[in-house]
Amino acid sequence: MISHRKYMELALKLAEKGKGNVSPNPLVGALIVKRGRIVGRGWHRKCGEAHAEVCALKEASKKAKDGILYVNLEPCSHWGRTPPCTEQIVSAGVREVVIAMKDPNPLINGYQELKFRGIKTRIGILEEEAKKLNEPYIKWIRTKKPFVVVKAAMSLDGQIATRTGDSKYITGRDARKFVHALRAEYDAVMVGSNTVLKDNPQLTVRLVKGRNPVKIVVDSNLKIPMSANIVKNEPGKLIIATSKKAPKAKIKKLKQKGVHILIADIVKGKIDLKQLMKELGKVEICSILIEGGAELNAEVIKAGVADKVLFFISPQFIGKGLSALGDLGIAKVDRSIKLKKLDYRKIGRDILIEGYL
């Protein structure tokens, strides 16, 4: 009996190779199996380049005929940046296609198209794993808003800094490398102006190989200095979300350096995060890692724009300091925000808790 799950697991691993390079496209891996042997492998390497199915078909060449194609996302059936994959699958003579999940893009109907063309097609193998892999793509396609993850590193007693503001480094090197790898996978990293003023972060992936994400600073009064690391280094990859109150002369200087300035509305004295997410989605920012302080962390959760949290807990005590979250306006424990789909991992000496809002 053919182990569809085994081959789909391999397709998912192939898809992961595209992390950080394919947005706003999804992560897709494909392989072709014939008589129990893998004859073709492929993954989507970069937005605008060949899709995973086409790469696998190219590697398999004539061996694709009468083979089984495994792919973690429904093949495209329309003309986009590239021709439809369904046509090439049919032309290659593939006899069966196994798909993990349906593509949420309403333009795509590859599953039905392949069935209509007489190819045996099944869907739903490792569907949950496939959905988790492409959760930013799924949200962006459905809502045109980015998938937002709040990341924080805290001591065992819930502090992200000492009472003097010192926070370097609460977690160990393994956890920091993990975060740098995460940055390379996300379209953007977001912080508040206070984080820039206090820590002057670089927000790069210097501990791992990969591309630096876009940096986004929420700064309603445009307080961050021109000498800040994120202004000096790669200003073309910096977006500052500010308001009409920001000094026009400073806006002009930042724009001259290549910084993108986004004027957002103010709600209760703060940047309207719901509007900001809509604007960022319009420029194809599909995923954001929030690495702000207590205030920004609380604001994105209160605004309902956060989808997931990644909290590192380090086995140490700090005592009175700065907590990971600001005021959420919760007066009773039974009104607390409960996380769903919890997962726990040990990374070096630290524990990572992952959950969905």
Side-chain angles (χ1 to χ4, degrees), residues 16 58 79 88 102 122 148 161 171 191 221 254-255 338:
E16 287 180 11
K58 187 176 179 183
W79 284 86
Q88 300 188 57
K102 180 156 183 59
R122 64 180 73 200
V148 178
T171 52
V191 296
N221 294 310
L254 287 162
K255 281 185 173 179
K338 315 274 192 308

Side-chain angles (χ1 to χ4, degrees), residues 344-352:
Y344 311 86
R345 269 180 283 173
K346 194 165 184 286
I347 298 179
R349 65 184 177 88
D350 306 302
I351 304 292
L352 172 61

Side-chain angles (χ1 to χ4, degrees), residues 30 42 50-59 69 82-85 88-89:
H51 286 188
E53 302 94 317
V54 174
C55 294
L57 288 168
K58 187 176 179 183
E59 186 180 291
L69 171 70
T82 58
C85 289
Q88 300 188 57
I89 292 166

Side-chain angles (χ1 to χ4, degrees), residues 304-322:
V305 298
D307 300 285
K308 181 176 174 179
V309 298
L310 291 171
F311 274 33
F312 288 90
I313 299 176
S314 179
Q316 58 187 308
F317 296 124
I318 287 176
K320 188 175 174 61
L322 180 65

Side-chain angles (χ1 to χ4, degrees), residues 230-268:
I230 55 172
V231 176
K232 288 192 299 182
N233 306 325
E234 294 186 296
K237 291 186 81 170
L238 173 62
I239 298 172
I240 301 177
T242 189
S243 69
K244 290 174 183 173
K245 295 187 291 183
K248 288 183 173 54
K250 194 168 182 181
I251 288 176
K252 188 178 177 183
K253 276 186 187 176
L254 287 162
K255 281 185 173 179
Q256 284 170 346
K257 285 183 76 71
V259 176
H260 303 271
I261 303 292
L262 203 159
I263 306 296
D265 292 339
I266 296 289
V267 176
K268 294 180 181 176

Side-chain angles (χ1 to χ4, degrees), residues 13-14 18 20-21 28 33 54 59 66 75 85-86 92 98 112 147-148 184 198 235 243 251 275 302 310 339 345:
K13 281 180 182 170
L14 284 169
N21 297 312
V28 186
V33 177
V54 174
E59 186 180 291
D66 295 324
C85 289
T86 49
V98 181
Q112 291 297 340
F147 184 82
V148 178
K198 287 177 187 172
S243 69
I251 288 176
Q275 182 212 6
K302 279 198 292 185
L310 291 171
L339 297 177
R345 269 180 283 173

